[in-house]
Amino acid sequence: MGETGPCGACSEIHVDIRPDSERSKIDGKILVNEDHPQVVEIWNLVFMEYTRMADGSLKNLPSKHVDTGMGFERLAVVLQGKTSNYDTDVFMPLINKIEQITGFKYHATDKLEDVSIRVISDHIRAIAFAIADGQLPSNNGAGYVIRRILRRAVRYAYTYLNTKSPLLYEILPILVQQMGDYFPELKNQEELISKVIKEEEESFLRALEKGIVKFDDYVKANPNKEINGDFAFELYDTYGFPIDLTSLMADEKNLNVDMKGFEKALEKQKNRSRKATSIENDDWVELLEDDKEEFIGYDYLDTSIKITKYRKVTQKNKSFFQLVFNLTPFYAEGGGQVGDKGYIEYEGVKTSIFDTKKENNQILHFVKEL
């Protein structure tokens, strides 16, 4: 899962869905893990046995299990005798709705129109599930990832499907109809998800228009000159323009883009982002053996608890501690609700808890000092 934490050996199950004529020429095992679109992994099983410590050593887990991860869409491809995820009944209802909204017919080719339809049908799922799970689009962290995914889908519709108005929110009801019975949060929060998506689409479409105006003004002020890398990055960072869109617009005016300058500016931003979000976790210090932490927040307003373990965490050059209790009335962040805040008290001394999150089925209580 990361540099530290639960781990173990894994076993992968792959399937070869190529036609017999191709199988007879090349053995499928040669193509395993070679990114062949029809020789794919459908199941990965990790035998969780150890915890990897910060120093790289392995410690036996008290309870061992098999963590299975199956590719739902890939399994549908095999069971339905298709050659692509997008040909299955998982995606086709979404694709049919996109066809209806845009007027473009899907032909399952590598043409940009078909690529755009696939991108939109895929991205609406990621966006909707993330919002249903409590993550809203924003300018940082996980929220920024959702915003970038949404904007990428809108940009493909805008550029290649000639769609200048919001469309993702119109596809949402089809997804809810498909998945709502299995993921009730989609159905229960459909109105909120739709509103958030539509507002984000409208906002980005306005930014696109402003960015296009800014691009045109730049070209007028710098005729017959290369598009500066810093300017290309400004369009990317401020207006959400992917570099390929800037390159496309430049190409239409017979101009080149300073890609080295853009990459340099992008790398600077990535370094700033890594520095701002990097987290260093010390190993857990165990004080008390406890198989299971119990949440009692619905039954008690206060209770006597014991700290079972703690660790030091460093982020943005600041240090704090995470505590795990045997019992806790603190609700962890999730489902759109922020983590509880409060305090613990020992012999008259209060220690403030400024956040509560969940990790690996443990409720972590954040304190500035022990």
Side-chain angles (χ1 to χ4, degrees):
M1 299 179 190
E3 293 184 2
T4 61
C7 60
C10 78
S11 176
E12 301 173 355
I13 297 176
H14 296 253
V15 62
D16 183 355
I17 57 174
R18 294 174 300 152
D20 291 338
S21 58
E22 290 191 30
R23 290 186 196 177
S24 62
K25 296 176 183 176
I26 302 176
D27 193 334
K29 67 182 180 182
I30 298 175
L31 300 174
V32 167
N33 287 330
E34 293 296 329
D35 293 326
H36 192 289
Q38 291 176 293
V39 181
V40 294
E41 176 190 326
I42 59 171
W43 206 352
N44 183 293
L45 304 97
V46 181
F47 299 89
M48 292 293 191
E49 298 182 76
Y50 312 105
T51 292
R52 185 177 295 281
M53 312 302 286
D55 63 4
S57 62
L58 297 175
K59 180 180 178 182
N60 283 315
L61 287 172
S63 178
K64 301 177 182 181
H65 66 280
V66 181
D67 181 5
T68 67
M70 176 178 279
F72 168 63
E73 292 85 0
R74 293 180 180 184
L75 189 63
V77 168
V78 175
L79 292 177
Q80 295 177 25
K82 305 295 184 180
T83 57
S84 166
N85 293 352
Y86 299 98
D87 297 331
T88 67
D89 59 8
V90 178
F91 281 96
M92 283 311 299
L94 300 173
I95 288 174
N96 291 338
K97 183 63 176 180
I98 296 168
E99 290 177 322
Q100 178 187 333
I101 295 171
T102 65
F104 282 81
K105 186 69 178 174
Y106 180 66
H107 295 103
T109 70
D110 290 331
K111 290 184 178 180
L112 288 172
E113 293 86 351
D114 288 341
V115 171
S116 299
I117 290 174
R118 290 196 290 271
V119 167
I120 294 166
S121 66
D122 176 80
H123 286 14
I124 181 60
R125 303 192 324 149
I127 296 161
F129 276 105
I131 296 173
D133 204 35
Q135 182 61 64
L136 297 176
S138 67
N139 285 329
N140 51 64
Y144 184 65
V145 175
I146 301 304
R147 177 163 283 169
R148 293 294 300 162
I149 292 173
L150 186 148
R151 288 182 172 185
R152 184 171 187 263
V154 172
R155 197 271 298 181
Y156 268 90
Y158 186 95
T159 305
Y160 303 115
L161 301 179
N162 196 33
T163 303
K164 314 301 183 186
S165 57
L167 84 159
L168 291 173
Y169 84 100
E170 291 192 63
I171 307 169
L172 178 65
I174 304 299
L175 179 64
V176 174
Q177 182 180 334
Q178 283 184 295
M179 302 289 189
D181 289 341
Y182 310 101
F183 300 94
E185 58 269 33
L186 278 180
K187 188 179 294 185
N188 296 337
Q189 301 188 62
E190 180 178 0
E191 185 176 351
L192 169 66
I193 298 169
S194 179
K195 183 178 179 181
V196 170
I197 291 176
K198 186 178 181 183
E199 288 179 353
E200 282 288 316
E201 288 188 272
E202 290 173 339
S203 174
F204 181 51
L205 286 168
R206 289 193 296 269
L208 267 179
E209 292 174 359
K210 290 179 182 178
I212 291 171
V213 170
K214 193 170 183 67
F215 177 87
D216 289 339
D217 290 343
Y218 177 89
V219 172
K220 289 177 183 177
N222 301 273
N224 303 318
K225 290 187 178 181
E226 184 178 60
I227 304 298
N228 181 275
D230 288 335
F231 175 71
F233 179 75
E234 180 186 348
L235 290 177
Y236 168 84
D237 194 48
T238 304
Y239 299 96
F241 272 53
I243 188 61
D244 57 337
L245 177 56
T246 302
S247 297
L248 177 66
M249 291 164 55
D251 187 57
E252 290 172 351
K253 297 183 181 295
N254 297 316
L255 298 173
N256 294 320
V257 179
D258 173 21
M259 292 303 299
K260 288 185 177 179
F262 172 81
E263 294 293 344
K264 186 176 180 180
L266 179 62
E267 188 60 30
K268 285 182 180 178
Q269 186 216 42
K270 287 181 177 179
N271 288 335
R272 290 193 299 269
S273 179
R274 290 190 194 105
K275 189 174 181 180
T277 59
S278 62
I279 299 176
E280 294 181 8
N281 296 324
D282 286 2
D283 287 335
W284 287 105
V285 177
E286 297 192 15
L287 305 176
L288 177 69
E289 285 192 17
D290 186 50
D291 292 337
K292 184 179 180 182
E293 179 184 33
E294 185 178 352
F295 174 71
I296 56 172
Y298 297 133
D299 304 310
Y300 299 90
L301 295 176
D302 60 77
T303 188
S304 297
I305 58 98
K306 294 180 180 179
I307 300 175
T308 60
K309 59 183 178 179
Y310 70 90
R311 70 180 175 186
K312 184 179 180 181
V313 179
T314 303
Q315 183 179 23
K316 297 182 180 179
N317 296 321
K318 295 182 179 180
S319 297
F320 56 90
F321 295 87
Q322 295 173 337
L323 312 179
V324 177
F325 306 146
N326 62 330
L327 304 171
T328 181
F330 287 81
Y331 187 87
E333 176 184 302
Q337 179 172 324
V338 298
D340 280 347
K341 299 178 181 180
Y343 65 88
I344 53 176
E345 183 175 353
Y346 179 70
E347 295 186 347
V349 179
K350 293 182 179 179
T351 300
S352 295
I353 294 174
F354 65 86
D355 200 1
T356 311
K357 295 181 183 292
K358 198 164 189 177
E359 179 183 297
N360 296 331
N361 293 319
Q362 297 178 128
I363 298 177
L364 308 183
H365 308 78
F366 291 63
V367 300
K368 292 182 178 179
E369 55 187 22
L370 292 178

